[in-house]
Amino acid sequence: MNEKIQQSVFNKSRKDKFLFVLTLPKAMKDISYSLPENRDQDHVIPDSLRFSVYGVVVPQVRVGSGEIRYSGQAVKFSSHSRDAYDNVTVNFTVDNRFNNYWVIWKWLDIMNDDKSSVFMKGTDLPTSESMFEQYQGTVTMYALDEYNKEVMKFDYEGVVPVSVGSIDYNYRTTEEIETTFEFSFSKLTPTLL
């Protein structure tokens, strides 16, 4: 039986149909745990961020061009090289125990300790692993159809958080706390599913 559904060319994708999956780097996996009752200053709950992301942008992909000027005209050609990607900002709602905020903060703290300003304070890196493998993660963002089936995925490699957004407390509102984190990455690979 053919599983494919015949689709009209007039069907459009929706902005609210996506799934964001963050895979933490080795340095974060070493300090992760799965039980909320084990919560402490030195550990993170890795899945806490997945369920609170409500917005993310797939960045522009650009292959630059060059030109050769001759006799009042210009011949354009491809550079055959992608420009560096812009950083990606992810919007998320802070959970009531700040577990998801703590994941990003701790990741930033591993790269630059808040007290001594060094990378992975107090740990010895194995000689077989590069420093990049220790702190770079991956992100996969799935685009979903109207039936919540995955139709495309965007794989981000070499993911490193560069900031976690501010939190604005206010006695005049009872809204949930929303903030952002920003990450840089090295490679983006889209795949049709």
Side-chain angles (χ1 to χ4, degrees):
M1 184 170 126
N2 188 352
E3 297 275 331
K4 294 186 179 182
I5 299 173
Q6 294 296 320
Q7 295 280 326
S8 167
V9 294
F10 297 110
N11 286 353
K12 305 295 182 228
S13 296
R14 296 177 43 103
K15 288 184 174 184
D16 65 344
K17 297 294 219 173
F18 71 95
L19 178 63
F20 181 86
V21 180
L22 174 66
T23 303
L24 296 175
K26 184 175 183 341
M28 294 292 288
K29 289 177 182 173
D30 291 344
I31 63 166
S32 67
Y33 59 91
S34 59
L35 300 175
E37 59 267 13
N38 294 339
R39 182 175 185 260
D40 66 30
Q41 294 289 332
D42 298 320
H43 296 89
V44 297
I45 301 173
D47 292 332
S48 62
L49 195 62
R50 180 177 185 174
F51 305 106
S52 56
V53 170
Y54 68 86
V56 67
V57 174
V58 175
Q60 177 185 34
V61 178
R62 178 176 158 75
V63 175
S65 65
E67 65 180 47
I68 299 173
R69 300 197 58 78
Y70 177 74
S71 185
Q73 300 290 323
V75 176
K76 296 240 179 187
F77 56 91
S78 174
S79 67
H80 300 285
S81 174
R82 289 189 186 178
D83 296 342
Y85 296 105
D86 293 333
N87 290 349
V88 173
T89 300
V90 177
N91 303 310
F92 71 102
T93 304
V94 178
D95 68 54
N96 67 338
R97 304 288 292 163
F98 283 77
N99 291 323
N100 55 5
Y101 181 89
W102 188 251
V103 169
I104 302 303
W105 190 92
K106 195 65 179 171
W107 194 350
L108 287 167
D109 191 53
I110 283 174
M111 293 184 297
N112 183 274
D113 185 77
D114 64 327
K115 293 179 180 76
S116 62
S117 294
V118 296
F119 172 67
M120 290 185 67
K121 181 184 175 203
T123 59
D124 294 323
L125 291 177
T127 55
S128 63
E129 296 179 359
S130 76
M131 185 168 48
F132 295 125
E133 291 173 337
Q134 290 291 320
Y135 70 82
Q136 289 183 339
T138 60
V139 164
T140 301
M141 194 182 81
Y142 294 95
L144 307 175
D145 68 9
E146 62 273 21
Y147 304 107
N148 292 327
K149 303 271 191 245
E150 298 167 355
V151 293
M152 187 164 186
K153 73 175 180 170
F154 299 89
D155 289 314
Y156 299 80
E157 295 177 33
V159 171
V160 178
V162 295
S163 71
V164 63
S166 62
I167 295 176
D168 298 325
Y169 284 100
N170 186 338
Y171 280 121
R172 294 184 178 187
T173 183
T174 59
E175 295 174 1
E176 296 174 333
I177 296 174
E178 296 174 349
T179 190
T180 62
F181 73 90
E182 184 178 341
F183 67 84
S184 66
F185 63 100
S186 301
K187 186 176 178 184
L188 172 63
T189 307
T191 306
L192 289 175
L193 302 175

